[in-house]
């Protein structure tokens, strides 16, 4: 049966004796499918982490049903390059050692020019998330929740 996923982000910081920490919580209702795994990402090729499409399958999630994706770099030294693919475009994010990347929707626009300031954002569905380690293989933790 479906349940509510509660995502809590806490930033704890005391700066010059003043508490600057904050906690934000988001509840995502009707989650009934979860994939949680740790995968080794190599330096040689793109490593597929998540595939989104029209039908569910091994390692593939229904695009419109995905409500939350988290990728955490479990390494203590090396970074991972994440690639988010959508509508023939790709955006890249450097995920440092111990860092986490979150996505709450399947929408992405990646373009060489234009963008939000020019009113030319055109979202497409994310079709996949790939990764490549920089200098040696690293483990990443992947959590996908969908309805």
């Amino acid at each position: 049966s479906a349940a509510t996923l509660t995502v809590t982000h806490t930033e704890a910081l005391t700066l010059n004796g003043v508490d600057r920490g904050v906690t934000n919580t988001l509840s995502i209702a009707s989650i009934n499918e979860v994939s949680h795994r740790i995968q080794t990402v190599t330096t040689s090729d793109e490593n597929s982490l998540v595939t989104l499409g029209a039908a569910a399958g091994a390692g593939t999630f229904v695009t419109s049903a995905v409500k939350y994706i988290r990728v955490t770099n479990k390494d203590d030294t090396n970074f991972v390059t994440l690639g988010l693919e959508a509508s023939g475009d790709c955006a890249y994010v450097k995920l440092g050692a111990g860092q986490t990347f979150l996505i709450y929707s399947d929408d992405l626009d990646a373009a060489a020019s234009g963008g939000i300031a020019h009113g030319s954002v055109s979202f497409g569905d994310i079709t996949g998330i790939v990764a490549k380690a920089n200098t040696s293989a690293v483990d990443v933790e992947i959590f996908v929740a969908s309805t």
Side-chain angles (χ1 to χ4, degrees):
S1 61
T4 298
L5 170 65
T6 302
V7 180
T8 304
H9 298 275
T10 299
E11 295 139 0
L13 174 66
T14 300
L15 188 60
N16 296 325
V18 178
D19 182 1
R20 298 291 182 180
V22 65
T23 297
N24 291 293
T25 302
L26 176 68
S27 296
I28 305 169
S30 303
I31 299 298
N32 62 11
E33 294 184 16
V34 170
S35 174
H36 180 213
R37 69 185 192 282
I38 295 179
Q39 179 176 330
T40 301
V41 173
T42 65
T43 61
S44 59
D45 290 316
E46 278 189 352
N47 299 253
S48 178
L49 302 183
V50 177
T51 302
L52 292 104
T60 301
F61 304 90
V62 176
T63 303
S64 61
V66 172
K67 304 302 177 195
Y68 176 83
I69 300 173
R70 175 180 56 81
V71 179
T72 300
N73 180 350
K74 304 299 281 184
D75 201 80
D76 60 1
T77 306
N78 299 294
F79 74 84
V80 172
T81 300
L82 289 182
L84 291 90
E85 303 167 336
S87 303
D89 294 322
C90 198
Y92 296 96
V93 176
K94 182 178 180 180
L95 190 61
Q99 294 180 346
T100 296
F101 183 79
L102 302 172
I103 304 170
Y104 292 97
S105 79
D106 63 338
D107 297 322
L108 175 73
D109 182 24
S113 63
I116 195 166
H118 299 93
S120 61
V121 175
S122 177
F123 290 111
D125 292 336
I126 294 174
T127 56
I129 301 174
V130 296
K132 186 175 180 182
N134 70 318
T135 57
S136 65
V138 302
D139 288 338
V140 296
E141 183 177 37
I142 306 148
F143 186 96
V144 180
S146 57
T147 55

